Amino acid sequence: MTLPALHPRPGNLREVAEQIEASTGLRVEIIGGSLVMAPTPRGKRAGTIRRLRVQIEAHLPVGLAPYEVSSVAMPDDPDDYATPDLTVLPVQWDEDDAWLADPRDVALAVEVISQSEKAEDITDKNGWYARAGVAVLLVLDPRTGRWTLHTRPKDGEYRGS
């Protein structure tokens, strides 16, 4: 597969990410100014996301809903965004044409660790969510059965877990 010639410069990484997604089908995020690419969830990871979505949806208060693969913007940075595996947002997201959700609207972001992800990758991403101001982050590892709930973001890290 041939990728288009890309010449990223500050302020247009989102355009580059969109081009990569369109031409490869890979899921692209920009974490701390770096392009991060991953295949779409499949197998054990996709099943974990599906089961969690069904469980969460049954217990959400009126006005909130779970969304798969909805991206969240880093405030005041035209290049950074992340795409949690599952994001709980106000149901008005159903009608929103915006590409990126405001992190202040995210009631919960969920990251399911893939087989290829390393511990330091997840830790860096946790910090990204805390810096963005996402109130609650759930990180699950379907291979070990371990999970961590991160809360109370402050100064680029979560204070509660």
Side-chain angles (χ1 to χ4, degrees):
M1 170 180 321
T2 304
L3 292 175
L6 304 174
H7 304 286
R9 62 187 185 283
N12 87 331
L13 280 178
R14 285 186 186 170
E15 292 172 31
V16 172
E18 288 176 19
Q19 290 175 6
I20 292 170
E21 282 187 349
S23 63
T24 66
L26 291 172
R27 191 173 88 177
V28 181
E29 300 172 296
I30 303 171
I31 306 294
S34 296
L35 288 169
V36 179
M37 293 171 269
T40 55
R42 61 180 185 256
K44 186 175 281 196
R45 186 166 169 234
T48 300
I49 295 164
R50 182 191 61 76
R51 287 187 301 277
L52 182 62
R53 184 170 114 351
V54 168
Q55 291 173 21
I56 286 174
E57 194 161 30
H59 298 284
L60 285 175
V62 172
L64 291 176
Y67 297 89
E68 292 182 40
V69 197
S70 288
S71 299
V72 179
M74 172 63 82
D76 304 320
D77 190 322
D79 286 332
D80 269 16
Y81 70 94
T83 307
D85 293 305
L86 193 65
T87 310
V88 175
L89 292 162
V91 293
Q92 289 83 356
W93 186 245
D94 286 358
E95 304 301 323
D96 199 326
D97 280 333
W99 179 59
L100 297 167
D102 186 316
R104 295 170 297 195
D105 292 337
V106 177
L108 171 68
V110 178
E111 285 287 347
V112 177
I113 298 173
S114 70
Q115 190 171 9
S116 63
E117 286 178 305
K118 300 176 204 135
E120 64 266 14
D121 295 337
I122 296 303
T123 301
D124 291 347
K125 201 178 254 191
N126 293 355
W128 186 96
Y129 285 111
R131 284 187 304 281
V134 171
V136 181
L137 171 66
L138 175 62
V139 179
L140 300 163
D141 187 335
R143 279 151 206 84
T144 65
R146 293 183 183 154
W147 59 271
T148 306
L149 185 67
H150 300 280
T151 60
R152 298 179 301 162
K154 184 177 179 187
D155 299 327
E157 60 184 58
Y158 284 103
R159 304 296 179 172
S161 52

